[in-house]
Amino acid sequence: MIRIFSHYVSKMAFVLLLLELLMLLASASVASVLWFSDQHGNFRADNLYLSSLTFALVIIFSMSALGMYQHSSREGIRTTLIRIMPSFALGFGLLSALIAVRPEFYFGRGISSVIFAIGATAVVLTRLVVFKSAESALLEARLIFVGSGPLARECMDLAHSKIGFHQFSVVGCVPIAGEDSCVPASQLLPVGESLLSMARRYEARELVVTVTNRRSKEFPVRDLLACALGGVRVTDAATFFEREACQIRLDSLQPSYLIFGGGFDQSFWRASVKRSFDLVASGLITLVSLPLMLAAAAAIVVEDGGPVFYQQERVGKDGAIFNVLKFRSMRKNAEAPGVPTWAAANDPRVTRVGHYLRMLRIDELPQMLNVFKGEMSFVGPRPERAFFVDQLARDIPYYNVRHSIKPGVTGLAQVRYQYGASVEDAIQKLQYDLYYVKNNSLFLDLLILIDTVQVVLLGKGSR
């Protein structure tokens, strides 16, 4: 993994994206030059590079929106072809809409289909080469876990569950005296050998420390220092989860990790960039979705009359209370008894129109007004109701950390976790929210925006 603007990104996925960007640029440029040479006058050569760059970026965005850089590296040619076709279809639609606004991006009659065909072929060939290379044992990260307790078991499960481009080979766990073992006996490594010699013998690149009691005399401080000095990476469990799962796990979190771990950028520059991003993103979405919002309002009125909008008190930055604005998706007086109720995935209070509004996330669109007013950001932790915040803050440590920044219309927890309607779900989502609060940047906002498009198109994630 590599870190870009505080966010962890798979090296293989990053290399794949760059290679495909170059291949798409080359496909568009070469095809256009050849066409121009043979068919005089059908293409304006002064727009060649701008048009080629636009084509490449639109296709890359389309593939990102459909999850082409998040899935397993063990794809065959048939799966690759099936997944590329809808991505290029989406890219064709987006490029057509862009050309309608900016005609100078138009390649010329007949050349567009040739460019799309060459570009698709180049992407398929690039992916087959990269995926075949990713299967090499040389690219696997060999891990040794120091400790064999519950946290070691969770780290092992995470390492084994990786389905993206970053593949692991777990050598085993080194048991520590006094710690209850929660991993299979077959995964335990023999003790008595120094950690450094063990890492070299098994060719392990990294040691992940999962021991929770680090004040015990059995904790191998000197061995770990020798490994760090000997060129073997030593990582604690909290960093491992942050890096590989985009989570800050509460069960492995120490206050010192939040204090000394970096991040939490609240500078004037970050605030200015984020506010600019909020206004641009919300303005564009409002403009594009205005006909859809008018249709949604009409559908709500036709089904059961007004009101069209629904306002509800939520907790914002620094605990400030504000009214979030949404299209009404539940029947009238859904909480008539007056006691706040968790929303559920198949909530019986949801109307027929509201079901589709929620499924397509259309009910969230009026929150652009909250963004314009400065009460919310476009990306951030989802705002919760004060009734539940009081309960969750009592039961979950560090819960109020999420209120150090503005809440968002979409967020990392919304695109990474399913619909949540319990305290346990709130804990899982908080771990993503803490990661975002710690590592938020414009780069991460853009990635979450792309993931949100994927959620809307493919129906994944939560609200």
Side-chain angles (χ1 to χ4, degrees), residues 188-225:
L188 295 177
L189 298 174
V191 296
E193 183 179 7
S194 72
L195 293 178
L196 180 58
S197 61
M198 185 182 297
R200 288 174 175 173
R201 181 158 62 89
Y202 289 109
E203 299 180 345
R205 301 181 182 179
E206 184 175 10
L207 298 180
V208 180
V209 180
T210 65
V211 182
T212 53
N213 183 13
R214 300 183 184 180
R215 296 182 179 181
S216 169
K217 63 179 181 179
E218 304 296 338
F219 185 67
V221 177
R222 293 184 181 276
D223 265 5
L224 292 172
L225 178 58

Side-chain angles (χ1 to χ4, degrees), residues 390-433:
D390 293 338
Q391 174 190 350
L392 296 171
R394 288 194 305 268
D395 298 340
I396 305 174
Y398 309 107
Y399 185 81
N400 278 326
V401 173
R402 70 197 301 273
H403 297 131
S404 61
I405 64 174
K406 291 180 183 179
V409 178
T410 185
L412 186 63
Q414 280 60 53
V415 299
R416 293 291 182 94
Y417 192 74
Q418 72 273 11
Y419 202 104
S422 66
V423 175
E424 291 72 21
D425 288 326
I427 293 174
Q428 295 298 321
K429 297 177 78 170
L430 175 62
Q431 295 176 144
Y432 290 109
D433 288 337

